[in-house]
């Protein structure tokens, strides 16, 4: 027996969905997805450009280091803003790690060590260089981009940025312009710079997420890739580490910030 047909109560009508309304909703949803995709693509592209920012430099050997009749020609290069001077001096091949994904070591690009070390006086060690800009010693534990911006406030800098490299031991009584010892300007090992970077990263991740456990739990591959990416400006090498750290677009509760100030006497803090 067929069931009786149910009719809506008197005074009401069955709900109907307009085809026009349904199509508009689908178009709005698609438009929203496209907008989110465009925003994500813009953010990713911006991160790549920021990460690969570089400072054009002209590096000359200090006059008291020249052992030949004439000084060696200056070295012109682009230094990634996030790199550290002692690591850039030795080149990517000096920080290669068996766990790293890849390197960007270009055999056509000479490192400062390769360029200047053959012209040093016999017996002079090239393993602990230090740099200055217009007589101001540059601290090795600050990224090159920060050093440049501190030395050129308001973007008023010469292009290329002119640096002088020294290989003699740093003399606190002669070379320093502030109450600091030579260990702030001369770094004897790339491993020291690497340890400094990851200690700073722990502090930043703790501020951002409330825990530094992500840094200590990084896989060996992500750890090696992140350091190589910082030293070479290769953004793609940092992606796996960011995923493991949980500091992507939605992983940070706060923004870590460190303020650097150049003092009136020429020093930095």
């Amino acid at each position: 027996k067929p069931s009786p047909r149910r009719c809506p109560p008197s005074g009401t009508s069955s709900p109907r969905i307009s085809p026009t309304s349904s199509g508009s909703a689908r178009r709005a949803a698609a438009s929203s997805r496209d907008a989110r995709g465009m925003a994500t693509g813009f953010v990713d592209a911006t991160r790549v450009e920021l990460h690969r920012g570089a400072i054009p430099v002209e590096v000359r050997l200090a006059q008291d280091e020249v052992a030949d009749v004439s000084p060696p020609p200056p070295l012109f290069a682009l230094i990634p803003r996030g790199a550290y001077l002692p690591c850039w001096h030795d080149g990517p091949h000096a920080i290669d790690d068996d766990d790293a994904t890849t390197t960007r070591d270009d055999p056509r690009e000479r490192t400062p060590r390769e360029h200047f070390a053959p012209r040093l006086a016999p017996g002079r060690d090239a393993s602990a260089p230090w740099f200055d800009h217009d007589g101001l010693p540059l601290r090795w534990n600050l990224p090159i981009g920060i050093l440049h911006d501190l030395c050129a406030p308001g973007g008023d800098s010469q292009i290329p940025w002119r640096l002088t490299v020294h290989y003699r031991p740093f003399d606190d009584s002669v070379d320093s312009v502030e109450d600091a010892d030579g260990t702030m300007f001369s770094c004897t090992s790339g491993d020291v710079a690497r340890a400094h970077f990851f200690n700073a990263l722990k502090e930043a991740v703790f501020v951002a997420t409330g825990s530094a456990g992500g840094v200590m739990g990084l896989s060996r591959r992500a750890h090696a890739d992140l350091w190589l990416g910082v030293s070479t400006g290769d953004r793609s090498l940092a992606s796996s580490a960011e995923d493991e750290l949980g500091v992507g677009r939605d992983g940070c509760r706060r923004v870590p910030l460190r303020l650097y100030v150049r003092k009136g006497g020429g020093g930095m803090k």
Side-chain angles (χ1 to χ4, degrees):
K1 181 178 180 181
S3 59
R5 183 177 180 180
R6 296 181 179 178
C7 298
S10 177
T12 64
S13 59
S14 300
R16 295 183 180 180
I17 299 177
S18 169
T20 303
S21 300
S22 177
S24 298
R26 286 195 296 269
R27 287 193 296 271
S31 178
S32 177
R33 287 193 299 269
D34 292 343
R36 288 195 299 269
M38 291 177 62
T40 300
F42 175 78
V43 170
D44 291 341
T46 302
R47 287 183 172 182
V48 170
E49 292 302 315
L50 290 175
H51 203 86
R52 73 174 189 172
I55 306 296
V57 297
E58 174 187 343
V59 185
R60 294 181 180 271
L61 182 63
Q63 289 291 335
D64 58 356
E65 304 274 8
V66 178
D68 290 346
V69 175
S70 59
L75 174 68
F76 293 89
L78 284 173
I79 312 180
R81 287 184 59 91
Y84 294 85
L85 280 170
C87 299
W88 170 75
H89 172 270
D90 292 340
H93 64 275
I95 59 172
D96 276 352
D97 193 308
D98 292 338
D99 296 308
T101 300
T102 184
T103 67
R104 294 180 56 195
D105 192 11
D106 188 340
R108 297 171 298 176
E109 297 180 1
R110 302 189 68 189
T111 67
R113 176 190 285 272
E114 296 167 340
H115 187 79
F116 294 116
R119 307 293 293 273
L120 296 177
R124 181 58 59 89
D125 187 6
S127 63
W130 57 278
F131 294 80
D132 79 66
H133 167 69
D134 288 343
L136 175 67
L138 301 176
R139 294 172 57 169
W140 70 262
N141 60 344
L142 299 183
I144 292 168
I146 292 176
L147 291 172
H148 172 267
D149 295 347
L150 286 171
C151 292
D156 183 18
S157 66
Q158 296 176 330
I159 298 298
W161 192 34
R162 295 175 181 173
L163 305 179
T164 301
V165 60
H166 304 260
Y167 293 98
R168 63 173 173 79
F170 189 91
D171 188 338
D172 296 342
S173 62
V174 176
D175 300 314
S176 183
V177 295
E178 58 182 287
D179 295 330
D181 59 65
T183 58
M184 298 180 65
F185 308 104
S186 178
C187 179
T188 58
S189 170
D191 291 337
V192 175
R194 180 172 181 158
H196 168 77
F197 168 78
F198 280 100
N199 283 334
L201 180 64
K202 289 177 186 177
E203 295 174 352
V205 171
F206 179 83
V207 171
T209 66
S211 172
V215 180
M216 294 180 284
L218 280 175
S219 66
R220 294 181 61 183
R221 170 63 61 82
H223 193 279
D225 282 355
L226 180 58
W227 176 236
L228 192 58
V230 167
S231 302
T232 61
D234 190 342
R235 171 70 178 81
S236 63
L237 293 173
S239 58
S240 60
E242 287 184 355
D243 292 341
E244 292 188 23
L245 290 172
V247 292
R249 277 179 288 273
D250 302 320
C252 296
R253 297 185 302 182
R254 294 172 292 271
V255 177
L257 175 67
R258 177 171 288 165
L259 181 65
Y260 294 94
V261 180
R262 179 171 177 177
K263 296 185 292 186
M268 302 175 187
K269 70 174 182 178

